[in-house]
Short mmCIF file of all heavy atoms in Angstrom, two decimals:
data_model
loop_
_atom_site.label_atom_id
_atom_site.label_comp_id
_atom_site.label_asym_id
_atom_site.label_seq_id
_atom_site.Cartn_x
_atom_site.Cartn_y
_atom_site.Cartn_z
N TRP P 77 189.49 126.95 67.44
CA TRP P 77 190.89 126.88 67.01
C TRP P 77 191.84 127.33 68.12
O TRP P 77 192.89 126.75 68.33
CB TRP P 77 191.07 127.73 65.75
CG TRP P 77 192.41 127.55 65.11
CD1 TRP P 77 193.51 128.34 65.24
CD2 TRP P 77 192.79 126.48 64.24
NE1 TRP P 77 194.55 127.85 64.51
CE2 TRP P 77 194.13 126.70 63.88
CE3 TRP P 77 192.13 125.37 63.73
CZ2 TRP P 77 194.82 125.85 63.03
CZ3 TRP P 77 192.82 124.53 62.88
CH2 TRP P 77 194.15 124.76 62.55
N ARG P 78 191.43 128.37 68.85
CA ARG P 78 192.29 128.93 69.91
C ARG P 78 192.33 128.05 71.15
O ARG P 78 193.20 128.22 71.99
CB ARG P 78 191.80 130.31 70.31
CG ARG P 78 192.00 131.35 69.24
CD ARG P 78 191.49 132.69 69.72
NE ARG P 78 192.54 133.41 70.39
CZ ARG P 78 193.22 134.42 69.84
NH1 ARG P 78 192.92 134.83 68.63
NH2 ARG P 78 194.17 135.03 70.51
N GLY P 79 191.37 127.16 71.29
CA GLY P 79 191.41 126.24 72.43
C GLY P 79 190.31 126.39 73.46
O GLY P 79 190.38 125.77 74.52
N PHE P 80 189.29 127.21 73.17
CA PHE P 80 188.16 127.27 74.10
C PHE P 80 187.66 125.84 74.33
O PHE P 80 187.64 125.03 73.40
CB PHE P 80 187.02 128.12 73.51
CG PHE P 80 187.24 129.61 73.59
CD1 PHE P 80 188.31 130.23 72.98
CD2 PHE P 80 186.32 130.40 74.27
CE1 PHE P 80 188.50 131.60 73.04
CE2 PHE P 80 186.48 131.78 74.34
CZ PHE P 80 187.57 132.38 73.73
N HIS P 81 187.24 125.53 75.51
CA HIS P 81 186.84 124.18 75.87
C HIS P 81 185.41 123.85 75.45
O HIS P 81 185.13 122.71 75.10
CB HIS P 81 186.98 123.96 77.38
CG HIS P 81 188.39 124.03 77.84
ND1 HIS P 81 189.02 125.24 78.10
CD2 HIS P 81 189.30 123.07 78.09
CE1 HIS P 81 190.27 125.00 78.49
NE2 HIS P 81 190.46 123.69 78.50
N GLU P 82 184.52 124.81 75.56
CA GLU P 82 183.11 124.56 75.29
C GLU P 82 182.49 125.76 74.59
O GLU P 82 183.00 126.88 74.68
CB GLU P 82 182.34 124.33 76.60
CG GLU P 82 182.81 123.15 77.40
CD GLU P 82 182.13 123.08 78.75
OE1 GLU P 82 180.93 123.39 78.83
OE2 GLU P 82 182.81 122.73 79.72
N VAL P 83 181.35 125.50 73.94
CA VAL P 83 180.59 126.57 73.31
C VAL P 83 179.11 126.36 73.64
O VAL P 83 178.66 125.22 73.80
CB VAL P 83 180.79 126.58 71.77
CG1 VAL P 83 180.22 125.33 71.12
CG2 VAL P 83 180.19 127.83 71.14
N THR P 84 178.41 127.46 73.78
CA THR P 84 176.96 127.43 73.85
C THR P 84 176.46 128.37 72.77
O THR P 84 176.93 129.52 72.67
CB THR P 84 176.45 127.91 75.23
OG1 THR P 84 176.91 126.99 76.23
CG2 THR P 84 174.94 127.99 75.27
N VAL P 85 175.55 127.87 71.96
CA VAL P 85 174.96 128.68 70.90
C VAL P 85 173.45 128.56 71.07
O VAL P 85 172.92 127.45 71.16
CB VAL P 85 175.35 128.18 69.49
CG1 VAL P 85 174.81 129.10 68.42
CG2 VAL P 85 176.87 128.06 69.37
N CYS P 86 172.79 129.69 71.15
CA CYS P 86 171.34 129.67 71.33
C CYS P 86 170.69 130.72 70.43
O CYS P 86 171.36 131.57 69.86
CB CYS P 86 170.97 129.88 72.79
SG CYS P 86 171.68 131.33 73.56
N ALA P 87 169.39 130.61 70.34
CA ALA P 87 168.61 131.55 69.54
C ALA P 87 168.30 132.79 70.37
O ALA P 87 168.12 132.71 71.59
CB ALA P 87 167.31 130.90 69.08
N PHE P 88 168.22 133.92 69.68
CA PHE P 88 167.81 135.16 70.35
C PHE P 88 166.43 134.95 70.97
O PHE P 88 165.54 134.35 70.37
CB PHE P 88 167.74 136.30 69.33
CG PHE P 88 166.99 137.48 69.84
CD1 PHE P 88 167.59 138.36 70.72
CD2 PHE P 88 165.67 137.69 69.48
CE1 PHE P 88 166.88 139.45 71.22
CE2 PHE P 88 164.96 138.77 69.98
CZ PHE P 88 165.56 139.65 70.85
N GLN P 89 166.27 135.46 72.18
CA GLN P 89 164.98 135.45 72.87
C GLN P 89 164.67 136.87 73.33
O GLN P 89 165.51 137.49 74.00
CB GLN P 89 165.04 134.54 74.11
CG GLN P 89 165.30 133.09 73.80
CD GLN P 89 164.13 132.44 73.10
OE1 GLN P 89 162.98 132.76 73.35
NE2 GLN P 89 164.42 131.52 72.21
N PRO P 90 163.52 137.42 72.96
CA PRO P 90 163.18 138.77 73.41
C PRO P 90 162.83 138.81 74.90
O PRO P 90 161.81 138.28 75.32
CB PRO P 90 161.98 139.16 72.54
CG PRO P 90 161.41 137.88 72.04
CD PRO P 90 162.51 136.85 72.07
N LEU P 91 163.71 139.39 75.67
CA LEU P 91 163.49 139.48 77.11
C LEU P 91 162.70 140.74 77.45
O LEU P 91 163.02 141.83 76.97
CB LEU P 91 164.83 139.51 77.84
CG LEU P 91 165.75 138.31 77.59
CD1 LEU P 91 167.09 138.53 78.27
CD2 LEU P 91 165.10 137.03 78.07
#
Side-chain angles (χ1 to χ4, degrees):
W77 189 262
R78 291 181 90 103
F80 282 61
H81 295 82
E82 299 173 38
V83 66
T84 297
V85 184
C86 53
F88 165 78
Q89 297 291 326
L91 302 175

